[in-house]
Amino acid sequence: MLSIGAEKAAWTWMSRGDMAKPLLGHRSTEGEGSPAPPAGRTVGVLGSGDFARSLAVRLVCSGFKVVVGSRNPKRKASLFPAAAEVTFQAEAVKKADVIFVAIFREHYSTLCDLADVLVGKILVDVSNNTEINHHKESNAEYLASLFPACTVVKGFNVVSAWTLQSGARDGNKQVLICSNNQEAKRIVAEIAQVMGFTPVDMGCMSSACEIENIPLRLLPAWKIPIFLALGLFLCFFTYNLIRQVIHPYIREQKNKLYKIPIEVVNTTLPCVSYVMLSLVYLPGVLAACSQLYYGTKYRRFPDWLDQWLQHRKQIGLLSFFCAALHAVYSLCLPMRRSHRYLLIETAVKQAVEKKMTIWVEEEVWRMEIYISVGIIALGLLSLLAITSLPSIANSLNWREFSFIQSSLGFIALVISTLHTLTYGWSRAFDENQYKFYLPPTYTLTLLVPCTVIIAKVIFSLPCIRHRLLRIRRGWEKGRYVKFVLPSATGEFSSGETSSNV
């Protein structure tokens, strides 16, 4: 919690800056919707916590008259901006028609003494719970049951106190609103617009429970991709651990546990990144196969494929994250003490054997190409990740976004494949690389990406590409089209023909 001095300093700074001005003007132009509420509207705030203070600051800076209701107004007055009136709760309720209830659910009952003066008021419930579906009914519905003579609107609970004080441009600009009263929703939406937010009508009060659950969900769209990445990491890590640590210990009695923190992890990360990148484009291949098989785009995909398609963005970002970690780990490889020991040992062996040079032209070219192609692949992945951000994606039209995410993404997959192939080079044909008869790890990672690349090449063939394009434009296999023909008597008769003809 901020100290009183810190809050006063913050208020002074905001009063001098952009926060002192409404983010949206109060003037309305002809032809627009309902005008914004005048700056002189009085808005009440019940509560003196962090959110209540931030809400009061935002309302004052947006041109509203704010009256704050507190059980200890003299003690709390110094925490609010000077332009806000801090008084007792009953007095605050009498002076405002729209009142923000910024107190916890367990304290709603303390407002029962104000039931008479709250009649006809609009109560905006901004509360949240500590757990998802913690109560049978939402906080807003519970507040409405306590004060049936009031109109309750659920809103502003998805906005943080920091966003309110910093301005809507520094946080999520959407404010979710729901209520059973359309006029009350309109008034609260206008207040949100003047404060610089974007109101979103979520319907009637039955949506309040879902709105209250939104701030409690921790990365709901990331759970499946994260579990997928962790599963792949564990599989490849175990596989590499067997090959690089367990095999030399059993066969040669060499202790190579020191490889686990850096070398084994660094071998695992590119495998995960490469497979995850291919999994971004594999569901599109499966969807195209389904459309070609059934000859229509109107048949629903299976639920697992539909979910897969919706999580492609998160899978791609995790692929970039693993690739970035792989680059950092690779740069740190020469810094290891074990690496220095190996260099010294190699130099000593060369001196003993009186070798003047150990230059291998093929290995030099392989590593040069391998690193160069890897840098290009990482650069393309960085571009894909950046354009996935909402602020960047919103500045691109659909063709630009599709070109980057689809065309350049497929090129990134092809270059990543070249990066993997140059790493392996001719090792796949070396029997010494098969530890416990297990093939090298990179050969396993090539399975899914190569499948995607081959499928993409097949889909690019004119005969298949044109058929798929027709399907995606609405053509259906086996669909009958009605037509009208004139009969011998001059009258018109209807007939049917298949769209396949």
Side-chain angles (χ1 to χ4, degrees):
M1 185 179 295
L2 295 174
S3 62
I4 295 177
E7 291 192 356
K8 285 185 176 179
W11 161 246
T12 302
W13 175 82
M14 286 184 290
S15 298
R16 294 175 182 173
D18 294 338
M19 286 288 294
K21 297 185 253 183
L23 296 182
L24 295 178
H26 300 302
R27 294 176 299 175
S28 60
T29 58
E30 186 176 353
E32 293 181 352
S34 57
R41 178 190 286 275
T42 301
V43 178
V45 178
L46 296 180
S48 55
D50 295 337
F51 192 87
R53 295 197 295 271
S54 300
L55 185 61
V57 170
R58 184 69 252 168
L59 287 169
V60 169
C61 293
S62 299
F64 293 97
K65 293 181 179 179
V66 180
V67 54
V68 180
S70 175
R71 288 174 291 181
N72 300 299
K74 292 184 178 180
R75 180 182 176 186
K76 304 293 185 180
S78 59
L79 302 177
F80 290 86
E85 180 185 355
V86 183
T87 182
F88 291 99
Q89 292 180 341
E91 294 296 325
V93 170
K94 293 178 182 179
K95 296 180 180 181
D97 294 327
V98 179
I99 302 166
F100 286 84
V101 182
I103 61 178
F104 293 105
R105 176 190 176 112
E106 52 265 28
H107 300 307
Y108 286 172
S109 58
T110 61
L111 302 177
C112 291
D113 296 336
L114 308 175
D116 295 335
V117 291
L118 284 173
V119 174
K121 306 289 184 177
I122 298 177
L123 303 181
V124 184
D125 178 57
V126 300
S127 65
N128 282 313
N129 294 313
T130 56
E131 299 177 7
I132 296 179
N133 297 326
H134 186 60
H135 303 281
K136 293 182 179 180
E137 59 181 352
S138 65
N139 295 349
E141 292 172 320
Y142 175 62
L143 182 64
S145 66
L146 293 178
F147 303 98
C150 300
T151 302
V152 177
V153 178
K154 184 70 186 182
F156 287 86
N157 65 301
V158 297
V159 180
S160 66
W162 168 254
T163 299
L164 288 170
Q165 287 201 21
S166 302
R169 60 187 177 186
D170 291 337
N172 186 5
K173 299 183 67 173
Q174 288 189 343
V175 172
L176 308 183
I177 298 173
C178 73
S179 177
N180 292 331
N181 189 293
Q182 294 294 330
E183 179 63 18
K185 280 196 295 186
R186 182 188 65 81
I187 294 174
V188 176
E190 289 177 345
I191 294 175
Q193 284 182 329
V194 176
M195 294 171 68
F197 295 99
T198 303
V200 179
D201 190 347
M202 299 294 290
C204 59
M205 188 59 70
S206 59
S207 302
C209 185
E210 177 62 22
I211 295 176
E212 292 174 1
N213 288 336
I214 290 177
L216 301 177
R217 292 194 175 100
L218 180 62
L219 303 175
W222 288 82
K223 290 183 178 179
I224 295 178
I226 288 176
F227 282 123
L228 176 62
L230 289 177
L232 288 173
F233 183 86
L234 290 176
C235 291
F236 283 116
F237 183 84
T238 303
Y239 192 86
N240 291 323
L241 182 68
I242 294 174
R243 286 177 46 83
Q244 300 180 32
V245 178
I246 297 179
H247 179 270
Y249 181 80
I250 294 178
R251 292 296 177 87
E252 304 173 10
Q253 303 300 316
K254 292 182 179 180
N255 185 359
K256 294 191 176 183
L257 292 175
Y258 66 89
K259 289 187 174 183
I260 294 178
I262 302 293
E263 195 167 338
V264 177
V265 173
N266 190 43
T267 309
T268 303
L269 286 173
C271 299
V272 177
S273 176
Y274 186 37
V275 174
M276 292 283 284
L277 179 61
S278 64
L279 293 180
V280 173
Y281 299 97
L282 181 58
V285 171
L286 298 178
C289 291
S290 175
Q291 292 174 343
L292 288 171
Y293 179 78
Y294 292 105
T296 179
K297 70 172 184 178
Y298 300 107
R299 182 184 178 91
R300 284 187 57 86
F301 297 133
D303 291 338
W304 59 269
L305 182 56
D306 191 51
Q307 290 290 325
W308 193 350
L309 290 168
Q310 295 178 20
H311 287 94
R312 287 180 295 176
K313 173 183 175 180
Q314 290 77 15
I315 295 175
L317 289 175
L318 288 174
S319 172
F320 167 71
F321 175 72
C322 293
L325 286 181
H326 170 55
V328 175
Y329 269 89
S330 298
L331 291 174
C332 295
L333 288 177
M335 300 171 56
R336 298 174 301 155
R337 180 68 63 178
S338 59
H339 181 73
R340 298 178 185 178
Y341 286 153
L342 289 175
L343 286 178
I344 296 174
E345 183 180 357
T346 303
V348 171
K349 287 182 178 179
Q350 183 180 356
V352 171
E353 297 175 1
K354 296 182 180 181
K355 290 184 178 180
M356 299 302 297
T357 179
I358 56 172
W359 182 276
V360 180
E361 189 74 17
E362 181 182 356
E363 283 297 309
V364 171
W365 275 104
R366 183 181 71 85
M367 288 303 299
E368 295 295 321
I369 298 174
Y370 165 71
I371 295 176
S372 177
V373 174
I375 293 174
I376 297 174
L378 181 60
L380 290 175
L381 284 178
S382 303
L383 181 61
L384 296 176
I386 292 173
T387 53
S388 296
L389 300 176
S391 58
I392 304 298
N394 292 337
S395 64
L396 303 173
N397 60 37
W398 173 247
R399 186 175 182 181
E400 294 169 341
F401 182 81
S402 177
F403 171 75
I404 294 175
Q405 293 292 327
S406 181
S407 301
L408 291 185
F410 178 70
I411 293 175
L413 181 63
V414 173
I415 294 179
S416 299
T417 303
L418 294 177
H419 178 67
T420 306
L421 291 174
T422 52
Y423 172 80
W425 206 256
S426 59
R427 296 180 181 179
F429 307 102
D430 185 3
E431 60 180 10
N432 294 326
Q433 297 295 323
Y434 290 79
K435 311 295 180 60
F436 289 135
Y437 301 102
L438 298 176
T441 312
Y442 68 89
T443 59
L444 300 180
T445 63
L446 288 168
L447 296 177
V448 178
C450 288
T451 301
V452 173
I453 293 174
I454 294 173
K456 286 282 190 178
V457 172
I458 294 175
F459 289 155
S460 65
L461 297 177
C463 56
I464 298 180
R465 181 166 56 88
H466 290 322
R467 182 179 179 87
L468 187 60
L469 182 61
R470 290 178 61 195
I471 292 174
R472 290 176 175 176
R473 289 187 174 183
W475 179 86
E476 293 183 82
K477 180 176 65 175
R479 185 185 63 179
Y480 287 90
V481 180
K482 291 185 178 181
F483 62 95
V484 179
L485 293 174
S487 63
T489 60
E491 298 179 352
F492 288 90
S493 61
S494 62
E496 291 183 343
T497 183
S498 172
S499 63
N500 288 332
V501 179

